[in-house]
Amino acid sequence: MTTIAISQFVQRVRPPAFPAETPDFFSMIDQQARMVVNLARTASEVLQGKESAHSLRLLDLEQRREELQRRNRAAVDSMLELRSGVEEIHWTMETLDRAAAGLFRTARSFHQLLSGPDEVAGQMLGVIQKAAESLQHGYARLANGSPAAECDADQAMASRHVLGRYRAQTLWGRSDQSPVSSRDQPSASADGRSPGRTFWLNELYDNLNDIAQELSGAGAILKGWTRQLTAGLHDRNARTGMCSLISPPLVTS
């Protein structure tokens, strides 16, 4: 085998020390945040009866979510062993994907035992949508070098407390109901709902609360990135870390 042939063979089987260019992680995260916003909006419309739980629109969103997840995971995997700071990008992408997947499952389940819109679920979905929008705004501000992204991060993080209060108030309200004798109303719960519907709504609220927890986690990472930027971490460590990875405009002189 000639020297040229050996060289070409080594290049094929051994990846270069660094990829030709760093993937645009900010754009990828922004797309995932927008996906969460769209799924939260669609899930709300399904809950209100404006959209079918089996509509082509919902199916298209899910297919796009899966494609984003595959593409973004491949981009992160290509950088994990080469650059520092990629782990938090990975966690953020995975967190946003779990939130999107949870919203899709929630929307598809709304046909079960749901004879009409549920006010609490609608309010919770509204909080989730606003949290995702806050993340989207925060990433955009971070890319422009604005410390105001920390405010957006705080709003996203607050979503878990808001949903937690909704959940607690719902449980508290049911506990205040006077007990109903099983002989008088065997097929209904204390709040007038059937046992099956009450169980399903409890599960729904828990799932929505889990989604808010995911978005809050993404907000915490965004807040950490913003504080790095605010602290002026533009030295050599910052240039080889998070700030140089998520978006080129973050590295300023």
Side-chain angles (χ1 to χ4, degrees), residues 42-51 110 114 116-123 125 200 204:
T42 303
S44 180
E45 292 175 355
V46 173
L47 178 65
Q48 298 173 49
K50 298 178 181 179
E51 185 80 28
F110 277 155
L114 196 61
D118 180 78
E119 182 179 356
V120 174
Q123 292 171 340
L125 279 169
W200 180 80
L204 169 63

Side-chain angles (χ1 to χ4, degrees), residues 92 95-96 135 139 156-157 213-223:
T92 298
T95 293
L96 291 173
L135 287 173
Y139 298 134
M157 292 169 65
Q213 294 283 348
E214 297 286 5
L215 296 180
S216 178
I221 296 176
L222 173 61
K223 186 170 184 174

Side-chain angles (χ1 to χ4, degrees), residues 1 8 14 20-21 24 33 46 54 58 71 78 127 130 142 156 158 166 175 180 194 196 238 240:
M1 182 178 291
Q8 292 174 343
R14 186 180 63 192
E21 60 181 20
D24 187 354
V46 173
H54 301 284
L58 194 59
R71 186 181 65 192
S78 71
V127 172
K130 289 181 181 178
L142 185 67
Y166 276 127
S175 67
V180 178
S194 69
T240 59

